[in-house]
Amino acid sequence: MSTAEPLFDTFGRLHDNLRISVTDRCNIRCFYCMPETGAEYVDRGEILTFEEIERMVRIAADLGVTKIRLTGGEPLVRKDLHVLIAALNRIPGIRDIALTTNGVLLAEQAQALHDAGLRRLNVHLDTLDRERFKQITRRDDLPRVLAGIEKAQALGFGPIKMNVVAVKNLIEPDIVPMARFGREHGIEIRYIEFMPLDHQSIWDRSRVLLMDTMLEMLRREIGPLEPVPDPDPRAPATEFRFTDGVGGVGFIASVSKPFCLNCNRLRLTSDGKLRYCLFAIDETDVKGLLRAGTLNDEAIAATIRQTVRDKWLGHEINTNRFVPPPRPMHSIGG
Ligand code: SAM
Ligand code: SF4
């Protein structure tokens, strides 16, 4: 239990959630996140070691962080990720560890991840159609992702959620089949409005498939949906359930309904930069402090506090003041 002052920002938002990118590398190439060829990666020596991540989490936990999400790049390409998860699970104060993955390596690692104590999974899958999967990810790995989900369910992971990136004029044929898949398998599908985080600046407002459009498609094709009562006000997803009692869907409507006012998240990039927002322009180096010696935990804690104090009210995607972050999604950590 933390005894330090909680991490409130200047707008009164409490920060108890740290998203950690464990690598900027990936084994597939989703077009809205990475270029097809020539992705730029940071040097391996710049990537935080497991020991450095663990130390960072201990310090953050002392400041009141209770929730960790591991992401990337593709976190499962980081060798022995389960070892890190087991270590984070032992840190006093950490109550909740989740993993966001593209699922390609999930079948082979699920057992070790489960043994390490991981239960919460978000598997990113936009389509159940093999050709469309290839078109989106430039890889032919749909069967591996489906095998990963099946294995995770058999092992008892839960809750499992699935992320679908909602790109207009592309993903419409997948909206309803994905929701049906979720209903059949007891998985909540989360539709994420396409955000301006791609490497090649292909984002345009007109390419965002909006939450209201998707809701209408789901209501028309599957049946009535109602808002989930008493939602967690700090969760980014707006959640709905089917009124027939079979499952539900969520929307991360970052573009049409930004949730910045409830944001409780900090981010640590794989090369040790602390960020207060996915869209932040500025970031603060903590790797230098982590590598400067073992006696400066206070300085690292002060950096975390300062990052929280510096946090802006929110991104301005919907204004002409918006400036995309200087790093692509895979490099920040989604
Ligand atoms: N590789 C893992 C994966 O794909 O889930 C973790 C990292 S990925 C950057 C994290 C999430 O970001 C993905 O699940 C995907 O849904 C989302 N994502 C990636 N690019 C996006 C974009 N341009 N707009 C909205 N969401 C995006
Ligand atoms: Fe890789 Fe995830 Fe980016 Fe797709 S969204 S390219 S799986 S990091």
Side-chain angles (χ1 to χ4, degrees):
M1 187 68 174
S2 161
T3 50
E5 278 284 292
L7 291 169
F8 281 108
D9 71 5
T10 56
F11 302 97
R13 295 172 294 197
L14 177 65
H15 287 69
D16 58 2
N17 189 318
L18 177 63
R19 298 176 79 104
I20 301 172
S21 172
V22 295
T23 178
D24 61 344
R25 288 159 204 258
C26 188
N27 45 358
I28 62 176
R29 291 286 178 279
C30 308
F31 75 91
Y32 41 69
C33 177
M34 287 183 86
E36 185 163 10
T37 54
E40 288 170 22
Y41 298 125
V42 296
D43 291 342
R44 285 184 194 275
E46 301 301 313
I47 300 287
L48 294 185
T49 64
F50 284 175
E51 291 72 24
E52 288 164 345
I53 293 174
E54 193 184 333
R55 181 172 165 210
M56 191 66 198
V57 172
R58 272 184 201 286
I59 297 169
D62 276 344
L63 299 177
V65 167
T66 60
K67 294 182 185 166
I68 301 291
R69 176 171 294 277
L70 300 178
T71 180
E74 172 46 37
L76 297 186
V77 302
R78 180 84 190 246
K79 193 167 176 290
D80 295 332
L81 188 73
H82 61 98
V83 173
L84 176 67
I85 290 172
L88 299 184
N89 245 326
R90 288 192 291 267
I91 295 179
I94 296 302
R95 293 203 289 266
D96 183 25
I97 301 181
L99 173 75
T100 303
T101 171
N102 62 29
V104 173
L105 297 172
L106 186 56
E108 50 212 75
Q109 295 188 28
Q111 183 70 62
L113 294 168
H114 195 270
D115 292 347
L118 183 73
R119 294 295 179 270
R120 275 160 42 73
L121 278 179
N122 281 53
V123 182
H124 169 204
L125 179 63
D126 296 334
T127 178
L128 298 166
D129 179 285
R130 196 159 171 171
E131 279 311 309
R132 292 167 60 65
F133 183 94
K134 264 161 63 179
Q135 186 191 348
I136 293 168
T137 67
R138 292 109 163 202
R139 297 289 186 276
D140 187 17
D141 283 327
L142 177 63
R144 297 177 79 187
V145 180
L146 293 175
I149 293 167
E150 199 180 320
K151 180 80 185 277
Q153 287 210 295
L155 286 171
F157 277 89
I160 302 178
K161 295 180 178 167
M162 281 167 73
N163 293 352
V164 176
V165 180
V167 183
K168 197 169 169 179
N169 296 331
L170 173 77
I171 209 73
E172 285 86 344
D174 300 299
I175 299 298
V176 170
M178 289 303 296
R180 290 210 164 104
F181 181 89
R183 274 157 63 85
E184 277 160 27
H185 291 84
I187 292 174
E188 180 183 308
I189 306 296
R190 299 196 138 184
Y191 302 95
I192 305 180
E193 289 179 349
F194 178 29
M195 293 185 269
L197 290 158
D198 59 280
H199 197 68
Q200 306 124 108
S201 305
I202 51 170
W203 187 87
D204 183 284
R205 228 191 125 74
S206 66
R207 295 215 64 192
V208 184
L209 186 59
L210 300 175
M211 172 173 114
D212 287 347
T213 312
M214 293 185 270
L215 263 177
E216 197 190 309
M217 293 167 79
L218 293 167
R219 286 187 166 125
R220 196 174 55 230
E221 301 283 330
I222 301 181
L225 280 156
E226 62 184 7
V228 169
D230 304 323
D232 174 358
R234 299 194 316 148
T238 310
E239 296 190 320
F240 293 82
R241 62 185 185 193
F242 289 100
T243 56
D244 65 3
V246 186
V249 291
F251 297 90
I252 310 278
S254 323
V255 180
S256 66
K257 296 187 177 50
F259 40 85
C260 304
L261 294 181
N262 295 324
C263 184
N264 63 350
R265 281 171 287 282
L266 287 171
R267 291 166 184 273
L268 180 63
T269 67
S270 58
D271 57 344
K273 314 284 186 214
L274 203 55
R275 302 173 64 87
Y276 54 70
C277 178
L278 191 52
F279 296 98
I281 303 299
D282 300 321
E283 50 187 27
T284 309
D285 182 62
V286 281
K287 185 181 64 214
L289 291 171
L290 284 163
R291 294 189 177 175
T294 50
L295 296 176
N296 53 356
D297 286 5
E298 272 306 314
I300 295 169
T303 304
I304 296 174
R305 287 193 182 290
Q306 189 59 47
T307 301
V308 172
R309 270 199 296 272
D310 288 344
K311 183 157 175 156
W312 60 17
L313 186 55
H315 67 68
E316 297 190 311
I317 292 179
N318 293 312
T319 73
N320 55 13
R321 292 185 297 277
F322 178 71
V323 181
R327 305 169 73 153
M329 183 70 134
H330 73 96
S331 158
I332 297 172

